[in-house]
Amino acid sequence: MTQIPLAYGSSDRRVGDFPALISRNVFAEAPASDPKSMALVGRAGLEAFSTAGGGPIRAVFQRAGLFDGDALILSGQTLYRVSENASVTAFTGTVAGTSRVSMDAGPDGAGLSELRIATGTEIYLASGTSVAAEAFPDSAGVTAVLYIRGFWIAIRADTQVLYSRVPGDLVWDAITFTSAEYEPDKAVGLARLGDTVLVFGETSLEPFALTGNATNPIEPYGGSAQDVGCRARDTIVNLADGVFAVGDDSAVYKFTPSPKLVSDNALSERIRLSDPTNLRAWGFRQDQHAFYVLSLGPETWVYDDSNGLWNPWASLGYDYFRAHLGAEVSGRVVCADVMTNSGQLWRMTPEKLTDDGDEIERIATAYYPLPEGHEVCASIVLECARGKAPLTGQGSDPLVGMLYSENLGKTWSPWRFRTLGAAGRYSDIARWNGNGTIRSPGRMFQLKSTDPTVIRFSKLLMNVPA
């Protein structure tokens, strides 16, 4: 009996024509029963939560302690407040434009919640039940906004200049500004890491600290600048004790604030070939996993910070995951539909086995290398979750398919399906007999299940005695 290694993370490198190892709509986790091994688990499903206008959804924001914990959704030109019980309230006023925006929120001097929105051309303030544009020095555009300890920081469009609004200010003061001058590049976006403000430039990262001085509220940390820039503002995400972003070199980094490379050559290649205006990301935590969800436009790649692995996620009928923006507070995940004519909001829940009724295609890939000679493949057995099917309807007789390739994924055999066990049938075995002979350079396998049943693929074994 031989174990065939599953690909717990995915990679598809075009330069060099490497074999594509793709496991879709799954993530990897070490089981408590065998902590030195890994298993692939089906990702959480989506359930309809609420609807905010008619789209496109341009931003999703949620933070504990603000707006009673409600989610704030910019859909089209209207800002909506969505409560935990899915009730929707529209703010009066409009936010011009249709593109994605930078949003942040904090309490004002009286402790009331306020939200600011930077559209690139204007900055807006939302408080109470209304939203309206604010005056900004020289009527300049604003590309990013950040709240930290009562201070507001904003990037003046197409510059290195950072304007600050100190506690008690009633307007954006034209003389309260500083510049990110480590490099002559333009500032792209902002993030908060503890009490540090990270200013992302086109080719640099410069950390700033609060000074407590109303005249000059922030100043650079000496000697802490980095020669890594940001390719797209909307990829900047606070998550898991760091800040994630796509660098100007098309790699993905986790900043703490020092940069740590978290992507591989294959993903960097895919990002390089993507339109920067399509790049966007969000993040959430579930069951001690921290997921960075990166949309490239035509596809979505998800990084799991708990194990350093990437896998693509997709929705039925698409190569990308439709939940393109989202926010999470205390395990409650609210995410938004990517469709331009949709204001659909979902909750993402591990116990949900479909995307609001649509099947989720969970795919795993494995590779058995054989440097020379040949080997008989009498049987293949999948160790997996069994007997966790619904009692009736689709998935009550759940199936898993297997196919293989003799030429590193260029062509494949037909699918052959086996049972994953009806409800309570925990002893059923997914076994494929009569798989011919494996010859050099080896054989690639794929496994697939689309039924709404619990998915856990633990091991793929070859030549298991009957």
Side-chain angles (χ1 to χ4, degrees), residues 187-205:
V188 172
L190 301 167
R192 184 182 64 196
L193 186 60
D195 283 336
T196 302
V197 176
L198 301 184
V199 181
F200 289 86
E202 293 173 314
T203 61
S204 65
L205 171 74

PDB file of all heavy atoms in Angstrom, residues 187-205:
ATOM      1  N   ALA A 187       1.656  58.175  -3.055  1.00  0.00           N
ATOM      2  CA  ALA A 187       1.040  57.340  -2.029  1.00  0.00           C
ATOM      3  C   ALA A 187      -0.193  56.653  -2.618  1.00  0.00           C
ATOM      4  O   ALA A 187      -0.971  57.272  -3.359  1.00  0.00           O
ATOM      5  CB  ALA A 187       0.659  58.179  -0.820  1.00  0.00           C
ATOM      6  N   VAL A 188      -0.354  55.364  -2.301  1.00  0.00           N
ATOM      7  CA  VAL A 188      -1.421  54.554  -2.884  1.00  0.00           C
ATOM      8  C   VAL A 188      -2.511  54.241  -1.870  1.00  0.00           C
ATOM      9  O   VAL A 188      -3.703  54.334  -2.165  1.00  0.00           O
ATOM     10  CB  VAL A 188      -0.837  53.239  -3.443  1.00  0.00           C
ATOM     11  CG1 VAL A 188      -1.947  52.293  -3.883  1.00  0.00           C
ATOM     12  CG2 VAL A 188       0.112  53.526  -4.593  1.00  0.00           C
ATOM     13  N   GLY A 189      -2.113  53.835  -0.649  1.00  0.00           N
ATOM     14  CA  GLY A 189      -3.107  53.416   0.328  1.00  0.00           C
ATOM     15  C   GLY A 189      -2.565  53.485   1.735  1.00  0.00           C
ATOM     16  O   GLY A 189      -1.374  53.711   1.972  1.00  0.00           O
ATOM     17  N   LEU A 190      -3.464  53.259   2.709  1.00  0.00           N
ATOM     18  CA  LEU A 190      -3.157  53.368   4.129  1.00  0.00           C
ATOM     19  C   LEU A 190      -3.619  52.115   4.858  1.00  0.00           C
ATOM     20  O   LEU A 190      -4.608  51.479   4.483  1.00  0.00           O
ATOM     21  CB  LEU A 190      -3.854  54.581   4.746  1.00  0.00           C
ATOM     22  CG  LEU A 190      -3.528  55.954   4.159  1.00  0.00           C
ATOM     23  CD1 LEU A 190      -4.532  56.983   4.664  1.00  0.00           C
ATOM     24  CD2 LEU A 190      -2.110  56.361   4.532  1.00  0.00           C
ATOM     25  N   ALA A 191      -2.916  51.777   5.931  1.00  0.00           N
ATOM     26  CA  ALA A 191      -3.343  50.704   6.816  1.00  0.00           C
ATOM     27  C   ALA A 191      -2.877  51.024   8.227  1.00  0.00           C
ATOM     28  O   ALA A 191      -1.906  51.755   8.428  1.00  0.00           O
ATOM     29  CB  ALA A 191      -2.796  49.349   6.368  1.00  0.00           C
ATOM     30  N   ARG A 192      -3.566  50.446   9.185  1.00  0.00           N
ATOM     31  CA  ARG A 192      -3.210  50.615  10.586  1.00  0.00           C
ATOM     32  C   ARG A 192      -2.692  49.292  11.121  1.00  0.00           C
ATOM     33  O   ARG A 192      -3.323  48.249  10.956  1.00  0.00           O
ATOM     34  CB  ARG A 192      -4.443  51.062  11.380  1.00  0.00           C
ATOM     35  CG  ARG A 192      -4.176  51.359  12.846  1.00  0.00           C
ATOM     36  CD  ARG A 192      -5.464  51.743  13.543  1.00  0.00           C
ATOM     37  NE  ARG A 192      -6.402  50.629  13.541  1.00  0.00           N
ATOM     38  CZ  ARG A 192      -7.705  50.753  13.792  1.00  0.00           C
ATOM     39  NH1 ARG A 192      -8.225  51.938  14.003  1.00  0.00           N
ATOM     40  NH2 ARG A 192      -8.487  49.678  13.798  1.00  0.00           N
ATOM     41  N   LEU A 193      -1.534  49.323  11.767  1.00  0.00           N
ATOM     42  CA  LEU A 193      -0.954  48.139  12.387  1.00  0.00           C
ATOM     43  C   LEU A 193      -0.624  48.514  13.815  1.00  0.00           C
ATOM     44  O   LEU A 193       0.411  49.129  14.086  1.00  0.00           O
ATOM     45  CB  LEU A 193       0.286  47.685  11.634  1.00  0.00           C
ATOM     46  CG  LEU A 193       0.927  46.368  12.078  1.00  0.00           C
ATOM     47  CD1 LEU A 193      -0.062  45.214  11.944  1.00  0.00           C
ATOM     48  CD2 LEU A 193       2.181  46.084  11.282  1.00  0.00           C
ATOM     49  N   GLY A 194      -1.533  48.169  14.744  1.00  0.00           N
ATOM     50  CA  GLY A 194      -1.380  48.662  16.109  1.00  0.00           C
ATOM     51  C   GLY A 194      -1.485  50.179  16.104  1.00  0.00           C
ATOM     52  O   GLY A 194      -2.434  50.751  15.580  1.00  0.00           O
ATOM     53  N   ASP A 195      -0.485  50.847  16.669  1.00  0.00           N
ATOM     54  CA  ASP A 195      -0.462  52.304  16.672  1.00  0.00           C
ATOM     55  C   ASP A 195       0.370  52.871  15.530  1.00  0.00           C
ATOM     56  O   ASP A 195       0.716  54.061  15.536  1.00  0.00           O
ATOM     57  CB  ASP A 195       0.088  52.824  18.009  1.00  0.00           C
ATOM     58  CG  ASP A 195      -0.954  52.741  19.113  1.00  0.00           C
ATOM     59  OD1 ASP A 195      -2.153  52.740  18.790  1.00  0.00           O
ATOM     60  OD2 ASP A 195      -0.565  52.667  20.297  1.00  0.00           O
ATOM     61  N   THR A 196       0.716  52.046  14.562  1.00  0.00           N
ATOM     62  CA  THR A 196       1.520  52.482  13.433  1.00  0.00           C
ATOM     63  C   THR A 196       0.645  52.670  12.204  1.00  0.00           C
ATOM     64  O   THR A 196      -0.228  51.847  11.917  1.00  0.00           O
ATOM     65  CB  THR A 196       2.612  51.440  13.116  1.00  0.00           C
ATOM     66  OG1 THR A 196       3.434  51.256  14.271  1.00  0.00           O
ATOM     67  CG2 THR A 196       3.476  51.888  11.952  1.00  0.00           C
ATOM     68  N   VAL A 197       0.884  53.771  11.490  1.00  0.00           N
ATOM     69  CA  VAL A 197       0.212  54.015  10.217  1.00  0.00           C
ATOM     70  C   VAL A 197       1.156  53.582   9.098  1.00  0.00           C
ATOM     71  O   VAL A 197       2.285  54.061   9.001  1.00  0.00           O
ATOM     72  CB  VAL A 197      -0.146  55.505  10.051  1.00  0.00           C
ATOM     73  CG1 VAL A 197      -0.765  55.747   8.671  1.00  0.00           C
ATOM     74  CG2 VAL A 197      -1.104  55.954  11.144  1.00  0.00           C
ATOM     75  N   LEU A 198       0.711  52.641   8.269  1.00  0.00           N
ATOM     76  CA  LEU A 198       1.502  52.200   7.125  1.00  0.00           C
ATOM     77  C   LEU A 198       1.045  52.964   5.892  1.00  0.00           C
ATOM     78  O   LEU A 198      -0.127  52.914   5.508  1.00  0.00           O
ATOM     79  CB  LEU A 198       1.336  50.696   6.894  1.00  0.00           C
ATOM     80  CG  LEU A 198       1.730  49.771   8.047  1.00  0.00           C
ATOM     81  CD1 LEU A 198       1.599  48.316   7.614  1.00  0.00           C
ATOM     82  CD2 LEU A 198       3.124  50.058   8.549  1.00  0.00           C
ATOM     83  N   VAL A 199       1.978  53.666   5.293  1.00  0.00           N
ATOM     84  CA  VAL A 199       1.685  54.423   4.071  1.00  0.00           C
ATOM     85  C   VAL A 199       2.295  53.663   2.897  1.00  0.00           C
ATOM     86  O   VAL A 199       3.520  53.565   2.768  1.00  0.00           O
ATOM     87  CB  VAL A 199       2.245  55.850   4.147  1.00  0.00           C
ATOM     88  CG1 VAL A 199       1.905  56.610   2.867  1.00  0.00           C
ATOM     89  CG2 VAL A 199       1.692  56.583   5.365  1.00  0.00           C
ATOM     90  N   PHE A 200       1.440  53.106   2.060  1.00  0.00           N
ATOM     91  CA  PHE A 200       1.879  52.347   0.893  1.00  0.00           C
ATOM     92  C   PHE A 200       2.040  53.289  -0.290  1.00  0.00           C
ATOM     93  O   PHE A 200       1.100  53.992  -0.664  1.00  0.00           O
ATOM     94  CB  PHE A 200       0.857  51.260   0.533  1.00  0.00           C
ATOM     95  CG  PHE A 200       0.817  50.120   1.503  1.00  0.00           C
ATOM     96  CD1 PHE A 200       0.034  50.184   2.643  1.00  0.00           C
ATOM     97  CD2 PHE A 200       1.565  48.973   1.280  1.00  0.00           C
ATOM     98  CE1 PHE A 200      -0.021  49.129   3.536  1.00  0.00           C
ATOM     99  CE2 PHE A 200       1.522  47.909   2.162  1.00  0.00           C
ATOM    100  CZ  PHE A 200       0.731  47.991   3.302  1.00  0.00           C
ATOM    101  N   GLY A 201       3.233  53.294  -0.864  1.00  0.00           N
ATOM    102  CA  GLY A 201       3.475  54.034  -2.089  1.00  0.00           C
ATOM    103  C   GLY A 201       3.514  53.107  -3.271  1.00  0.00           C
ATOM    104  O   GLY A 201       3.385  51.883  -3.146  1.00  0.00           O
ATOM    105  N   GLU A 202       3.727  53.683  -4.439  1.00  0.00           N
ATOM    106  CA  GLU A 202       3.802  52.870  -5.654  1.00  0.00           C
ATOM    107  C   GLU A 202       4.997  51.930  -5.620  1.00  0.00           C
ATOM    108  O   GLU A 202       4.932  50.813  -6.156  1.00  0.00           O
ATOM    109  CB  GLU A 202       3.901  53.780  -6.871  1.00  0.00           C
ATOM    110  CG  GLU A 202       2.644  54.605  -7.127  1.00  0.00           C
ATOM    111  CD  GLU A 202       2.842  55.614  -8.232  1.00  0.00           C
ATOM    112  OE1 GLU A 202       3.879  56.312  -8.226  1.00  0.00           O
ATOM    113  OE2 GLU A 202       1.975  55.699  -9.118  1.00  0.00           O
ATOM    114  N   THR A 203       6.104  52.360  -4.998  1.00  0.00           N
ATOM    115  CA  THR A 203       7.309  51.520  -4.939  1.00  0.00           C
ATOM    116  C   THR A 203       7.909  51.450  -3.543  1.00  0.00           C
ATOM    117  O   THR A 203       9.026  50.969  -3.380  1.00  0.00           O
ATOM    118  CB  THR A 203       8.385  52.059  -5.906  1.00  0.00           C
ATOM    119  OG1 THR A 203       8.737  53.396  -5.521  1.00  0.00           O
ATOM    120  CG2 THR A 203       7.884  52.061  -7.346  1.00  0.00           C
ATOM    121  N   SER A 204       7.188  51.894  -2.517  1.00  0.00           N
ATOM    122  CA  SER A 204       7.754  51.928  -1.169  1.00  0.00           C
ATOM    123  C   SER A 204       6.670  51.767  -0.123  1.00  0.00           C
ATOM    124  O   SER A 204       5.480  51.945  -0.400  1.00  0.00           O
ATOM    125  CB  SER A 204       8.488  53.260  -0.934  1.00  0.00           C
ATOM    126  OG  SER A 204       7.562  54.334  -0.966  1.00  0.00           O
ATOM    127  N   LEU A 205       7.119  51.417   1.075  1.00  0.00           N
ATOM    128  CA  LEU A 205       6.258  51.382   2.261  1.00  0.00           C
ATOM    129  C   LEU A 205       6.944  52.194   3.342  1.00  0.00           C
ATOM    130  O   LEU A 205       8.119  51.963   3.645  1.00  0.00           O
ATOM    131  CB  LEU A 205       6.042  49.950   2.746  1.00  0.00           C
ATOM    132  CG  LEU A 205       5.335  49.841   4.108  1.00  0.00           C
ATOM    133  CD1 LEU A 205       3.854  50.155   3.961  1.00  0.00           C
ATOM    134  CD2 LEU A 205       5.535  48.468   4.723  1.00  0.00           C
TER     135      LEU A 205
END
